[in-house]
């Protein structure tokens, strides 16, 4: 019985130690519903809920048809540290070099977006400054800055993933490793941002955001205690 109890405790803590954030944008009835969850950084130029197109279902969010002065951008504060993030991403034009639309995960000195100094920023999508504009790009603020993937841009949905390790970030396109960059260890990542807020002649869609957490120290300690109890009982 005690062995089963120890196994049960390990299972419970293993299932609760990882705290994920996900959003497929299908649960919002309208733009007001989306705006109640995400904060529009520039309310006059919002990230828009698109109820006509989605990757996994009928809805996604998008940057509207762009003008060079547009600044569509919205954020959500996560409240804890995360280790992996991915998103389904779709450009509406893969040929225009002025494509600056990307998804970010950020880390501030405080407890969320804009709280204190920006300590880390990891972005994936497309940009046009000092990079190969025919492929998808990524950025690690405390690493190599903007880097290129090896995957050509298309107008199809693609899965973009950043695997955040202690001192490196690995960038995947459709689950294939494309690039990596160093990063500063120990920086907490606490918020996500949709859209670049920069000039772009190309709009983009975002869907199926998944941000995977890492076990908190307390949960790790409980897991270790549960494992020790099981070993001793054996």
């Amino acid at each position: 019985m005690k062995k089963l109890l120890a196994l049960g405790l390990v299972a419970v803590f293993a299932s609760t130690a990882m705290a994920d954030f996900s959003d497929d944008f299908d649960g919002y009835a309208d733009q007001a519903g989306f705006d109640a969850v995400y904060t529009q950084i520039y309310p006059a130029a919002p990230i828009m809920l698109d109820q006509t197109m989605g990757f996994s279902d009928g809805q996604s969010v998008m940057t509207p048809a762009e003008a060079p002065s547009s600044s569509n951008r919205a954020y959500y504060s996560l409240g804890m540290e995360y280790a992996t993030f991915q998103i389904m991403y779709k450009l509406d034009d893969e040929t225009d070099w002025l494509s600056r639309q990307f998804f970010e995960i950020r880390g501030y000195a405080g407890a969320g977006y804009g709280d204190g100094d920006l300590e880390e920023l990891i972005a994936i999508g497309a940009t046009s400054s000092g990079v190969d504009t025919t492929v998808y790009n990524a950025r690690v603020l405390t690493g190599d800055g903007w880097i290129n993937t090896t995957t050509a841009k298309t107008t199809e949905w693609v899965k973009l993933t950043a695997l955040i390790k202690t001192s490196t970030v690995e960038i995947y396109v459709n689950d294939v490793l494309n690039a990596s960059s160093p990063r500063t260890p120990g920086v907490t990542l606490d918020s996500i941002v949709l859209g670049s807020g920069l000039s772009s002649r190309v709009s983009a869609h975002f869907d199926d955001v998944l941000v995977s957490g890492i076990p908190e120290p307390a949960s790790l300690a409980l897991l270790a205690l549960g494992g020790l109890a099981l070993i001793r009982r054996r």
Side-chain angles (χ1 to χ4, degrees):
M1 180 67 181
K2 289 182 179 179
K3 180 178 178 180
L4 290 174
L5 178 60
L7 282 170
L9 284 170
V10 171
V12 167
F13 288 122
S15 66
T16 59
M18 300 296 286
D20 294 348
F21 169 84
S22 63
D23 198 344
D24 61 9
F25 305 109
D26 294 325
Y28 302 112
D30 50 28
Q31 183 68 37
F34 173 77
D35 290 345
V37 176
Y38 290 79
T39 301
Q40 300 284 357
I41 299 175
Y42 306 106
I47 293 288
M48 301 295 295
L49 182 68
D50 187 340
Q51 296 181 294
T52 67
M53 178 187 297
F55 173 75
S56 59
D57 207 333
Q59 297 190 167
S60 62
V61 291
M62 67 172 294
T63 57
E66 298 291 340
S69 61
S70 66
S71 54
N72 309 88
R73 199 160 166 80
Y75 75 84
Y76 179 86
S77 289
L78 297 165
M80 67 168 286
E81 186 174 358
Y82 285 83
T84 304
F85 73 93
Q86 66 188 45
I87 193 166
M88 298 306 300
Y89 175 86
K90 183 182 185 301
L91 284 171
D92 290 352
D93 183 347
E94 82 279 21
T95 62
D96 195 320
W97 68 271
L98 189 57
S99 303
R100 295 200 285 183
Q101 301 293 358
F102 39 83
F103 174 80
E104 297 176 341
I105 187 165
R106 289 176 163 234
Y108 288 87
Y113 181 88
D115 186 4
D117 294 335
L118 177 64
E119 296 183 329
E120 183 63 288
L121 181 158
I122 300 167
I124 46 178
T127 192
S128 61
S129 302
V131 296
D132 182 351
T133 60
T134 68
V135 300
Y136 297 104
N137 316 114
R139 180 188 181 193
V140 180
L141 179 65
T142 63
D144 292 333
W146 280 107
I147 57 177
N148 299 315
T149 71
T150 57
T151 303
K153 293 188 298 186
T154 75
T155 56
E156 301 298 319
W157 287 101
V158 294
K159 180 182 178 182
L160 303 178
T161 305
L163 176 59
I164 305 162
K165 298 183 176 182
T166 301
S167 57
T168 59
V169 179
E170 294 179 348
I171 305 299
Y172 294 77
V173 181
N174 290 330
D175 296 322
V176 176
L177 178 61
N178 270 228
S180 64
S181 171
R183 71 175 291 250
T184 299
V187 178
T188 298
L189 299 164
D190 53 30
S191 51
I192 59 173
V193 180
L194 298 159
S196 70
L198 301 173
S199 59
S200 177
R201 287 192 293 257
V202 178
S203 59
H205 281 77
F206 305 93
D207 203 0
D208 292 0
V209 176
L210 174 62
V211 190
S212 298
I214 62 175
E216 298 175 355
S219 297
L220 286 172
L222 288 167
L223 278 169
L225 287 173
L228 285 173
L230 182 56
I231 291 169
R232 287 172 179 168
R233 183 53 55 183
R234 285 177 176 173

